Amino acid sequence: QVQLVESGGGLVQPGGSLRLSCAASGFTLDYYAIGWFRQAPGKEREGVSCISSSDGSTYYVDSVKGRFTISRDNAKNSAYLQMNSLKPEDTAVYYCAAQRVCGSVDADPYYGVDYWGKGTLVTVSS
């Protein structure tokens, strides 16, 4: 069974931090790029970040640069998104995806997506 499962979401105050995890089962992430996406209430889903499978290059949408960090641990067949200095505008359901390669996170974030997780909710509010 091919599956991606996100975890780590929850309620956090503005300025706080959360670490999201993306665990794969039924396949290996070694040869996939991993993307993080989010969908805020009333808005379209957008790309947030992506990490390459080939050289580990990372990419971020401008709104999260300097605050979010994407990483991967192939030995654990997992990927992560460390989110710091969270803002109310970051409130969204966050999804991870396995991609053939990273597309442009702002222009073509869905390029080559093979598998999606079901999402984890992040709420930033005081």
Side-chain angles (χ1 to χ4, degrees):
Q1 180 180 352
V2 172
Q3 194 171 20
L4 286 172
V5 179
E6 302 94 337
S7 62
L11 175 64
V12 64
Q13 294 185 345
S17 298
L18 285 173
R19 188 184 190 229
L20 304 183
S21 297
C22 174
S25 60
F27 74 108
T28 178
L29 285 177
D30 292 29
Y31 302 109
Y32 286 91
I34 303 165
W36 283 96
F37 303 77
R38 67 185 181 187
Q39 187 166 17
K43 299 183 67 177
E44 298 292 326
R45 189 176 299 187
E46 65 172 339
V48 176
S49 184
C50 191
I51 184 166
S52 173
S53 64
S54 57
D55 61 5
S57 297
T58 58
Y59 309 91
Y60 302 90
V61 69
D62 286 347
S63 60
V64 309
K65 286 181 179 177
R67 300 189 297 120
F68 291 11
T69 303
I70 190 171
S71 62
R72 65 190 299 156
D73 187 342
N74 287 346
K76 295 182 178 179
N77 214 26
S78 298
Y80 309 93
L81 185 69
Q82 178 67 45
M83 306 187 297
N84 299 327
S85 301
L86 283 162
K87 305 174 180 180
E89 308 94 270
D90 296 317
T91 295
V93 176
Y94 283 73
Y95 304 85
C96 67
Q99 306 178 244
R100 295 295 179 181
V101 296
C102 289
S104 171
V105 293
D106 54 350
D108 192 17
Y110 307 104
Y111 182 79
V113 170
D114 279 351
Y115 309 111
W116 286 98
K118 293 182 178 179
T120 185
L121 177 62
V122 172
T123 302
V124 184
S125 177
S126 59

